[in-house]
Amino acid sequence: MAKKLDIPNADDEALVRSAQRGAMPPYEELVHRHRDKIYARAFSMLRNEDEALDISQEAWVKGWQRLKQFKHNASFTTWMTRICINLCLDFLRKRKRKPTSSLDQMEEESGGVERFMPVEQFNPTEKAEREELRAQIDEGMAKLSYEHRTVLILHEFEQLGYKEVSKAMHCSIGTVMSRLFYARRKLATLLISLKKERQK
Amino acid sequence: MKIGEMKQEDILRIQAWMDGELAPKEAARVATLIEQNPEALALSEELRVVENALHLGEKPAILDDSRDFYWSQIERKIDAEEPLLEPYAAPVLASGNLLRWMVPVGSLGAIVVLMMNYGAMNPQPQPSTPGITPDAPASTPTGLTEPAGAMEEQNAEPGGMGVINFQGSQGSRHLTDPEDPNTLPESIENPDR
Protein backbone atom coordinates (compact mmCIF):
# COMPACT_ATOMS: atom_id res chain seq x y z
CA MET A 1 0.00 0.00 0.00
CA ALA A 2 1.35 3.42 -0.97
CA LYS A 3 2.44 5.64 1.90
CA LYS A 4 0.22 8.69 2.33
CA LEU A 5 1.96 11.94 1.45
CA ASP A 6 2.49 14.34 4.35
CA ILE A 7 1.63 17.39 2.28
CA PRO A 8 2.67 20.23 4.61
CA ASN A 9 6.04 18.63 5.28
CA ALA A 10 6.76 17.10 1.88
CA ASP A 11 9.41 18.66 -0.32
CA ASP A 12 8.56 20.24 -3.69
CA GLU A 13 9.69 17.24 -5.69
CA ALA A 14 7.43 14.83 -3.78
CA LEU A 15 4.51 17.23 -4.16
CA VAL A 16 5.13 17.62 -7.88
CA ARG A 17 5.36 13.85 -8.42
CA SER A 18 2.12 13.33 -6.56
CA ALA A 19 0.41 16.12 -8.49
CA GLN A 20 1.69 14.62 -11.75
CA ARG A 21 -0.35 11.53 -10.89
CA GLY A 22 -3.43 13.76 -10.77
CA ALA A 23 -3.66 14.71 -7.09
CA MET A 24 -4.85 18.28 -6.65
CA PRO A 25 -4.03 18.91 -2.91
CA PRO A 26 -0.24 18.66 -3.41
CA TYR A 27 -0.52 21.16 -6.26
CA GLU A 28 -2.50 23.47 -4.00
CA GLU A 29 0.34 23.30 -1.50
CA LEU A 30 2.85 24.18 -4.23
CA VAL A 31 0.74 27.19 -5.15
CA HIS A 32 0.69 28.34 -1.53
CA ARG A 33 4.44 27.97 -1.20
CA HIS A 34 5.46 29.80 -4.37
CA ARG A 35 2.62 32.13 -5.23
CA ASP A 36 4.48 35.25 -4.03
CA LYS A 37 7.51 34.49 -6.17
CA ILE A 38 5.43 33.93 -9.31
CA TYR A 39 3.33 37.00 -8.61
CA ALA A 40 6.49 39.07 -8.01
CA ARG A 41 7.92 38.07 -11.38
CA ALA A 42 4.65 38.94 -13.14
CA PHE A 43 4.53 42.26 -11.30
CA SER A 44 8.16 43.12 -12.10
CA MET A 45 7.44 42.63 -15.79
CA LEU A 46 3.96 44.17 -16.00
CA ARG A 47 4.17 46.84 -13.27
CA ASN A 48 0.45 46.52 -12.66
CA GLU A 49 -1.02 44.70 -9.66
CA ASP A 50 -4.27 43.50 -11.25
CA GLU A 51 -2.60 42.29 -14.43
CA ALA A 52 0.12 40.58 -12.42
CA LEU A 53 -2.51 38.83 -10.31
CA ASP A 54 -4.38 37.56 -13.39
CA ILE A 55 -1.23 36.42 -15.18
CA SER A 56 0.14 34.69 -12.07
CA GLN A 57 -3.11 32.74 -11.69
CA GLU A 58 -3.09 31.87 -15.38
CA ALA A 59 0.47 30.60 -14.96
CA TRP A 60 -0.68 28.23 -12.19
CA VAL A 61 -3.53 26.97 -14.38
CA LYS A 62 -1.09 26.35 -17.26
CA GLY A 63 1.31 24.72 -14.81
CA TRP A 64 -1.36 22.22 -13.77
CA GLN A 65 -2.32 21.49 -17.38
CA ARG A 66 1.30 20.89 -18.41
CA LEU A 67 2.54 19.31 -15.23
CA LYS A 68 3.11 15.94 -16.88
CA GLN A 69 5.60 17.63 -19.22
CA PHE A 70 7.77 18.72 -16.28
CA LYS A 71 10.82 16.42 -16.32
CA HIS A 72 12.46 17.55 -13.04
CA ASN A 73 15.52 18.84 -14.94
CA ALA A 74 15.19 22.25 -13.27
CA SER A 75 13.49 23.22 -10.02
CA PHE A 76 9.71 23.45 -10.06
CA THR A 77 9.85 27.18 -9.29
CA THR A 78 12.22 27.81 -12.22
CA TRP A 79 9.83 25.91 -14.49
CA MET A 80 6.82 27.84 -13.17
CA THR A 81 8.68 31.15 -13.50
CA ARG A 82 9.38 30.39 -17.16
CA ILE A 83 5.68 29.75 -17.75
CA CYS A 84 4.86 33.04 -16.04
CA ILE A 85 7.47 34.95 -18.08
CA ASN A 86 6.13 33.51 -21.33
CA LEU A 87 2.60 34.54 -20.41
CA CYS A 88 3.81 38.04 -19.51
CA LEU A 89 5.66 38.35 -22.83
CA ASP A 90 2.59 37.20 -24.76
CA PHE A 91 0.46 39.65 -22.82
CA LEU A 92 2.85 42.54 -23.42
CA ARG A 93 3.14 41.76 -27.11
CA LYS A 94 -0.64 41.74 -27.45
CA ARG A 95 -1.09 44.90 -25.48
CA LYS A 96 1.72 46.73 -27.29
CA ARG A 97 1.76 49.38 -24.65
CA LYS A 98 4.74 51.47 -25.62
CA PRO A 99 4.38 54.96 -24.17
CA THR A 100 8.04 55.83 -24.62
CA SER A 101 9.10 53.12 -27.02
CA SER A 102 9.43 55.27 -30.13
CA LEU A 103 11.80 57.65 -28.38
CA ASP A 104 13.66 54.80 -26.77
CA GLN A 105 13.97 53.01 -30.08
CA MET A 106 15.35 56.09 -31.81
CA GLU A 107 17.91 56.59 -29.09
CA GLU A 108 18.75 52.91 -29.08
CA GLU A 109 19.32 52.84 -32.82
CA SER A 110 21.53 55.90 -32.77
CA GLY A 111 23.53 54.60 -29.86
CA GLY A 112 21.42 56.44 -27.31
CA VAL A 113 21.85 59.80 -25.63
CA GLU A 114 23.38 57.93 -22.73
CA ARG A 115 26.48 57.40 -24.81
CA PHE A 116 27.27 61.08 -24.61
CA MET A 117 26.79 61.37 -20.89
CA PRO A 118 29.71 61.13 -18.53
CA VAL A 119 30.36 57.74 -17.01
CA GLU A 120 29.29 58.17 -13.38
CA GLN A 121 30.71 56.18 -10.54
CA PHE A 122 28.57 55.29 -7.57
CA ASN A 123 28.86 52.70 -4.91
CA PRO A 124 25.51 51.26 -3.88
CA THR A 125 26.72 49.80 -0.61
CA GLU A 126 28.25 52.95 0.86
CA LYS A 127 25.33 55.13 1.94
CA ALA A 128 22.13 53.62 0.73
CA GLU A 129 20.65 50.93 2.86
CA ARG A 130 20.02 47.61 1.18
CA GLU A 131 16.26 48.00 1.19
CA GLU A 132 16.44 51.59 0.09
CA LEU A 133 18.61 50.64 -2.84
CA ARG A 134 16.19 47.89 -3.77
CA ALA A 135 13.42 50.46 -3.73
CA GLN A 136 15.50 52.73 -5.95
CA ILE A 137 16.16 49.91 -8.39
CA ASP A 138 12.47 49.11 -8.40
CA GLU A 139 11.66 52.75 -9.14
CA GLY A 140 14.27 52.85 -11.88
CA MET A 141 13.00 49.62 -13.43
CA ALA A 142 9.46 51.01 -13.48
CA LYS A 143 10.67 53.92 -15.59
CA LEU A 144 12.15 51.71 -18.27
CA SER A 145 10.14 50.67 -21.32
CA TYR A 146 8.90 47.11 -21.09
CA GLU A 147 11.43 45.91 -23.68
CA HIS A 148 14.37 47.27 -21.68
CA ARG A 149 12.93 46.13 -18.37
CA THR A 150 12.25 42.63 -19.69
CA VAL A 151 15.73 42.20 -21.12
CA LEU A 152 17.23 43.18 -17.76
CA ILE A 153 14.93 40.86 -15.82
CA LEU A 154 15.63 37.89 -18.08
CA HIS A 155 19.37 38.45 -18.13
CA GLU A 156 20.08 39.69 -14.62
CA PHE A 157 17.43 38.00 -12.50
CA GLU A 158 16.62 34.88 -14.50
CA GLN A 159 20.23 34.37 -15.58
CA LEU A 160 19.37 33.78 -19.25
CA GLY A 161 22.09 34.14 -21.88
CA TYR A 162 21.80 36.43 -24.91
CA LYS A 163 20.58 33.60 -27.11
CA GLU A 164 17.86 32.54 -24.68
CA VAL A 165 16.72 36.13 -24.21
CA SER A 166 16.54 36.67 -27.97
CA LYS A 167 14.47 33.50 -28.30
CA ALA A 168 12.10 34.53 -25.53
CA MET A 169 11.68 38.06 -26.85
CA HIS A 170 11.53 37.09 -30.54
CA CYS A 171 14.34 39.45 -31.53
CA SER A 172 17.95 39.21 -32.71
CA ILE A 173 20.95 38.82 -30.41
CA GLY A 174 22.16 42.23 -31.62
CA THR A 175 18.89 43.79 -30.44
CA VAL A 176 19.24 42.05 -27.08
CA MET A 177 22.77 43.44 -26.71
CA SER A 178 21.80 47.01 -27.56
CA ARG A 179 18.66 46.87 -25.39
CA LEU A 180 20.66 45.49 -22.50
CA PHE A 181 23.29 48.18 -22.82
CA TYR A 182 20.74 50.94 -23.09
CA ALA A 183 18.75 49.57 -20.15
CA ARG A 184 21.85 49.39 -17.95
CA ARG A 185 23.02 52.88 -18.82
CA LYS A 186 19.56 54.26 -18.31
CA LEU A 187 19.19 52.47 -14.99
CA ALA A 188 22.58 53.77 -13.87
CA THR A 189 21.51 57.31 -14.71
CA LEU A 190 18.18 56.86 -12.92
CA LEU A 191 19.88 55.46 -9.83
CA ILE A 192 22.29 58.39 -9.71
CA SER A 193 19.51 60.95 -10.08
CA LEU A 194 17.41 59.18 -7.42
CA LYS A 195 20.39 59.16 -5.11
CA LYS A 196 20.99 62.88 -5.65
CA GLU A 197 17.31 63.62 -5.10
CA ARG A 198 17.30 61.84 -1.75
CA GLN A 199 20.52 63.55 -0.67
CA LYS A 200 18.98 67.02 -1.12
CA MET B 1 34.97 60.94 -18.80
CA LYS B 2 32.84 60.34 -21.84
CA ILE B 3 32.29 57.27 -23.93
CA GLY B 4 30.89 59.19 -26.88
CA GLU B 5 34.00 58.61 -28.93
CA MET B 6 33.89 54.85 -28.60
CA LYS B 7 32.45 52.75 -31.39
CA GLN B 8 29.05 51.21 -30.62
CA GLU B 9 30.49 47.88 -31.69
CA ASP B 10 33.28 48.10 -29.10
CA ILE B 11 30.84 49.20 -26.40
CA LEU B 12 28.65 46.15 -27.00
CA ARG B 13 31.73 43.92 -27.10
CA ILE B 14 32.82 45.21 -23.69
CA GLN B 15 29.38 44.46 -22.32
CA ALA B 16 29.39 40.97 -23.88
CA TRP B 17 32.82 40.36 -22.37
CA MET B 18 31.49 41.29 -18.93
CA ASP B 19 28.50 39.01 -19.42
CA GLY B 20 30.79 36.12 -20.39
CA GLU B 21 29.28 35.86 -23.86
CA LEU B 22 32.48 36.12 -25.93
CA ALA B 23 34.65 33.36 -27.34
CA PRO B 24 38.09 33.10 -25.62
CA LYS B 25 40.00 34.75 -28.49
CA GLU B 26 37.61 37.69 -28.70
CA ALA B 27 37.52 37.97 -24.91
CA ALA B 28 41.31 38.34 -24.83
CA ARG B 29 41.12 41.12 -27.41
CA VAL B 30 38.51 43.03 -25.38
CA ALA B 31 40.49 42.54 -22.16
CA THR B 32 43.46 44.19 -23.88
CA LEU B 33 41.25 47.06 -25.07
CA ILE B 34 40.03 47.66 -21.50
CA GLU B 35 43.58 47.70 -20.19
CA GLN B 36 44.76 50.19 -22.79
CA ASN B 37 41.74 52.44 -23.24
CA PRO B 38 40.59 54.53 -20.21
CA GLU B 39 37.14 55.04 -21.74
CA ALA B 40 36.69 51.30 -22.11
CA LEU B 41 37.85 50.82 -18.53
CA ALA B 42 35.42 53.45 -17.21
CA LEU B 43 32.55 51.88 -19.11
CA SER B 44 33.32 48.42 -17.81
CA GLU B 45 33.44 49.78 -14.25
CA GLU B 46 30.09 51.42 -14.57
CA LEU B 47 28.50 48.32 -16.02
CA ARG B 48 29.95 46.37 -13.11
CA VAL B 49 28.43 48.79 -10.59
CA VAL B 50 24.99 48.45 -12.18
CA GLU B 51 25.34 44.71 -12.24
CA ASN B 52 26.27 44.64 -8.55
CA ALA B 53 23.34 46.88 -7.68
CA LEU B 54 20.96 44.58 -9.52
CA HIS B 55 22.42 41.57 -7.76
CA LEU B 56 21.20 42.95 -4.46
CA GLY B 57 17.90 41.60 -5.68
CA GLU B 58 14.46 42.82 -6.45
CA LYS B 59 12.04 44.46 -4.13
CA PRO B 60 9.76 41.63 -2.93
CA ALA B 61 6.14 41.77 -4.04
CA ILE B 62 3.59 40.22 -1.70
CA LEU B 63 0.09 39.13 -2.68
CA ASP B 64 -2.71 40.70 -0.71
CA ASP B 65 -5.24 37.95 -1.42
CA SER B 66 -5.73 35.24 1.16
CA ARG B 67 -4.34 31.78 0.40
CA ASP B 68 -7.77 30.22 0.06
CA PHE B 69 -9.21 32.95 -2.12
CA TYR B 70 -6.21 32.91 -4.46
CA TRP B 71 -6.36 29.12 -4.77
CA SER B 72 -10.13 29.02 -5.24
CA GLN B 73 -9.81 31.26 -8.30
CA ILE B 74 -7.14 29.00 -9.79
CA GLU B 75 -9.15 25.87 -9.03
CA ARG B 76 -12.22 27.34 -10.70
CA LYS B 77 -10.24 28.11 -13.85
CA ILE B 78 -8.76 24.60 -13.90
CA ASP B 79 -12.22 23.06 -13.53
CA ALA B 80 -13.59 25.29 -16.27
CA GLU B 81 -10.89 24.30 -18.76
CA GLU B 82 -10.58 20.59 -18.02
CA PRO B 83 -13.82 19.38 -19.65
CA LEU B 84 -12.69 21.08 -22.86
CA LEU B 85 -9.44 19.18 -22.88
CA GLU B 86 -10.74 15.67 -22.10
CA PRO B 87 -12.63 14.84 -25.33
CA TYR B 88 -9.47 15.24 -27.37
CA ALA B 89 -7.79 12.47 -25.45
CA ALA B 90 -10.77 10.13 -25.56
CA PRO B 91 -10.11 6.99 -27.64
CA VAL B 92 -13.77 6.87 -28.73
CA LEU B 93 -13.14 9.76 -31.04
CA ALA B 94 -10.44 7.84 -32.92
CA SER B 95 -12.80 4.98 -33.78
CA GLY B 96 -15.47 7.53 -34.67
CA ASN B 97 -13.10 9.06 -37.18
CA LEU B 98 -12.32 5.64 -38.59
CA LEU B 99 -16.00 4.84 -39.04
CA ARG B 100 -16.64 8.17 -40.67
CA TRP B 101 -14.15 7.28 -43.41
CA MET B 102 -14.93 3.58 -43.63
CA VAL B 103 -18.61 4.05 -44.53
CA PRO B 104 -18.14 6.00 -47.80
CA VAL B 105 -15.01 4.05 -48.79
CA GLY B 106 -16.79 0.76 -48.18
CA SER B 107 -19.83 1.89 -50.14
CA LEU B 108 -17.68 2.99 -53.06
CA GLY B 109 -15.86 -0.34 -52.99
CA ALA B 110 -19.15 -2.22 -53.07
CA ILE B 111 -20.34 -0.20 -56.08
CA VAL B 112 -17.10 -0.91 -57.95
CA VAL B 113 -17.36 -4.64 -57.23
CA LEU B 114 -20.97 -4.65 -58.39
CA MET B 115 -20.06 -2.88 -61.60
CA MET B 116 -17.18 -5.23 -62.29
CA ASN B 117 -19.40 -8.24 -61.85
CA TYR B 118 -22.35 -6.73 -63.60
CA GLY B 119 -21.58 -8.47 -66.88
CA ALA B 120 -21.06 -11.83 -65.24
CA MET B 121 -24.20 -11.68 -63.16
CA ASN B 122 -26.52 -10.24 -65.75
CA PRO B 123 -28.16 -13.01 -67.79
CA GLN B 124 -28.57 -12.57 -71.58
CA PRO B 125 -31.40 -10.14 -72.14
CA GLN B 126 -34.46 -11.57 -73.75
CA PRO B 127 -35.59 -9.76 -76.86
CA SER B 128 -38.53 -7.65 -76.06
CA THR B 129 -39.51 -7.10 -79.67
CA PRO B 130 -41.04 -10.10 -81.31
CA GLY B 131 -39.42 -11.11 -84.57
CA ILE B 132 -36.00 -9.76 -83.77
CA THR B 133 -33.63 -12.44 -82.65
CA PRO B 134 -30.30 -11.65 -81.16
CA ASP B 135 -27.35 -12.98 -83.05
CA ALA B 136 -25.93 -14.67 -80.04
CA PRO B 137 -23.31 -17.24 -80.85
CA ALA B 138 -24.33 -20.70 -79.95
CA SER B 139 -20.91 -21.46 -78.68
CA THR B 140 -21.34 -19.49 -75.45
CA PRO B 141 -22.56 -21.86 -72.86
CA THR B 142 -23.54 -19.17 -70.42
CA GLY B 143 -25.84 -17.53 -72.82
CA LEU B 144 -23.95 -14.25 -72.85
CA THR B 145 -23.49 -12.53 -76.17
CA GLU B 146 -19.81 -12.24 -75.43
CA PRO B 147 -17.60 -13.47 -72.65
CA ALA B 148 -17.36 -10.91 -69.85
CA GLY B 149 -13.61 -10.57 -70.27
CA ALA B 150 -13.95 -9.71 -73.93
CA MET B 151 -16.53 -7.07 -73.12
CA GLU B 152 -14.20 -5.44 -70.64
CA GLU B 153 -11.33 -5.41 -73.10
CA GLN B 154 -13.44 -3.86 -75.79
CA ASN B 155 -14.70 -1.13 -73.52
CA ALA B 156 -11.28 -0.44 -72.11
CA GLU B 157 -9.72 0.41 -75.46
CA PRO B 158 -11.18 3.66 -76.80
CA GLY B 159 -11.95 5.73 -73.78
CA GLY B 160 -9.22 4.42 -71.53
CA MET B 161 -11.78 4.20 -68.76
CA GLY B 162 -11.25 0.58 -67.90
CA VAL B 163 -14.44 -1.32 -67.15
CA ILE B 164 -16.99 1.32 -67.97
CA ASN B 165 -16.84 3.59 -70.93
CA PHE B 166 -18.94 6.71 -70.64
CA GLN B 167 -18.03 7.97 -74.07
CA GLY B 168 -21.15 6.57 -75.66
CA SER B 169 -23.44 8.02 -73.07
CA GLN B 170 -22.16 11.53 -73.76
CA GLY B 171 -23.46 11.10 -77.26
CA SER B 172 -23.20 14.08 -79.49
CA ARG B 173 -23.08 16.69 -76.71
CA HIS B 174 -20.52 19.32 -77.61
CA LEU B 175 -17.83 19.70 -74.99
CA THR B 176 -15.32 22.51 -75.19
CA ASP B 177 -11.65 21.76 -75.01
CA PRO B 178 -10.44 23.29 -71.77
CA GLU B 179 -7.04 24.04 -73.26
CA ASP B 180 -8.37 25.80 -76.34
CA PRO B 181 -7.84 29.55 -75.74
CA ASN B 182 -10.79 30.38 -77.99
CA THR B 183 -13.14 28.63 -75.65
CA LEU B 184 -11.89 30.30 -72.46
CA PRO B 185 -14.27 32.70 -70.79
CA GLU B 186 -13.25 36.32 -71.09
CA SER B 187 -12.62 36.74 -67.44
CA ILE B 188 -10.00 33.99 -67.48
CA GLU B 189 -8.44 34.76 -70.82
CA ASN B 190 -8.00 38.41 -70.00
CA PRO B 191 -8.82 39.34 -66.45
CA ASP B 192 -8.47 43.06 -67.25
CA ARG B 193 -11.42 43.04 -69.54
Side-chain angles (χ1 to χ4, degrees), chain B residues 17-81:
Chain B
W17 173 74
M18 297 190 65
D19 290 332
E21 294 272 353
L22 291 183
K25 201 177 168 184
E26 186 67 12
R29 202 188 72 80
V30 174
T32 309
L33 175 74
I34 289 169
E35 274 175 18
Q36 293 172 352
N37 186 337
E39 286 181 16
L41 179 66
L43 175 66
S44 70
E45 281 171 1
E46 190 192 91
L47 289 174
R48 185 76 68 203
V49 169
V50 176
E51 195 182 0
N52 289 341
L54 286 168
H55 284 182
L56 283 175
E58 296 170 274
K59 191 182 165 190
I62 309 290
L63 269 167
D64 292 333
D65 290 356
S66 74
R67 281 172 59 134
D68 290 341
F69 181 66
Y70 186 73
W71 169 249
S72 69
Q73 286 176 309
I74 294 166
E75 195 177 26
R76 203 175 59 228
K77 286 179 187 173
I78 289 172
D79 289 343
E81 291 192 24

Side-chain angles (χ1 to χ4, degrees), chain A residues 24 27-29 31-32 35-36 39-41 43-44 49 53-54 56-58 60-61 64-65 108 111 114-124 130-131 133-135 137-138 141 152-153 155-157 159 161-163 174 177-178 180-181 184-185 187-188 191, chain B residues 1-9 11-22 39 41-47 49-79 81-82 85:
Chain A
M24 190 74 98
Y27 192 70
E28 185 181 347
E29 175 65 22
V31 173
H32 293 329
R35 64 180 201 146
D36 283 340
Y39 169 76
R41 175 54 66 239
F43 180 75
S44 70
E49 286 178 5
L53 183 69
D54 284 348
S56 71
Q57 287 180 334
E58 204 181 324
W60 287 111
V61 174
W64 170 257
Q65 289 168 345
E108 197 179 284
E114 310 302 335
R115 281 192 59 191
F116 305 101
M117 292 176 74
V119 175
E120 298 268 0
Q121 295 290 334
F122 68 100
N123 187 343
R130 194 181 174 88
E131 291 308 312
L133 184 65
R134 275 182 176 174
I137 291 169
D138 190 60
M141 294 284 276
L152 267 184
I153 289 169
H155 188 267
E156 297 291 343
F157 300 140
Q159 310 290 316
Y162 290 175
K163 200 176 172 182
M177 288 168 78
S178 62
L180 197 55
F181 176 73
R184 281 168 166 162
R185 292 286 290 171
L187 190 63
L191 288 175
Chain B
M1 194 168 294
K2 295 194 176 195
I3 59 165
E5 292 79 22
M6 281 178 73
K7 284 183 192 169
Q8 179 79 354
E9 199 183 334
I11 289 169
L12 295 182
R13 274 212 187 95
I14 290 167
Q15 179 185 242
W17 173 74
M18 297 190 65
D19 290 332
E21 294 272 353
L22 291 183
E39 286 181 16
L41 179 66
L43 175 66
S44 70
E45 281 171 1
E46 190 192 91
L47 289 174
V49 169
V50 176
E51 195 182 0
N52 289 341
L54 286 168
H55 284 182
L56 283 175
E58 296 170 274
K59 191 182 165 190
I62 309 290
L63 269 167
D64 292 333
D65 290 356
S66 74
R67 281 172 59 134
D68 290 341
F69 181 66
Y70 186 73
W71 169 249
S72 69
Q73 286 176 309
I74 294 166
E75 195 177 26
R76 203 175 59 228
K77 286 179 187 173
I78 289 172
D79 289 343
E81 291 192 24
E82 270 191 347
L85 299 171

Side-chain angles (χ1 to χ4, degrees), chain B residues 155-175:
Chain B
N155 285 338
E157 285 293 323
M161 297 292 288
V163 178
I164 303 160
N165 186 353
F166 290 105
Q167 199 171 35
S169 67
Q170 287 171 352
S172 61
R173 191 194 296 173
H174 174 71
L175 294 176

